[in-house]
Amino acid sequence: MRPPACLQVKQFVAEVNGRFGFRFRVFITGDDRYYLFVCVQNSDITVPVRKADLRADVRAALRHGWGHR
């Protein structure tokens, strides 16, 4: 299922490690309040995440384009 148009990918930010060995590519969306996390192993898994719901350190890292390599 695709996210709503306002949550479509606009720009790549970083790649981060998730739980259980998953990796996610993080993208800026058309809505300034959200990032879109796309699973590297299965791109059908997309998770819109409110920036306000992220931990402060993660939010700051993504804002600067930092991820896990």
Side-chain angles (χ1 to χ4, degrees):
M1 186 163 120
R2 293 193 123 170
C6 65
L7 296 179
Q8 292 296 314
V9 167
K10 297 295 179 186
Q11 182 179 344
F12 175 75
V13 176
E15 191 166 300
V16 298
N17 294 323
R19 297 182 79 181
F20 309 113
F22 286 101
R23 291 182 64 81
F24 289 90
R25 290 191 178 110
V26 183
F27 297 90
I28 293 172
T29 67
D31 186 331
D32 290 339
R33 297 172 296 171
Y34 286 87
Y35 284 116
L36 187 66
F37 285 67
V38 178
C39 183
V40 172
Q41 291 87 347
N42 181 351
S43 61
D44 288 338
I45 300 173
T46 60
V47 183
V49 178
R50 284 182 17 166
K51 292 177 181 179
D53 292 341
L54 295 171
R55 290 189 334 241
D57 59 330
V58 173
R59 187 171 45 252
L62 290 175
R63 187 172 54 243
H64 291 90
W66 300 337
H68 301 255
R69 299 280 174 194

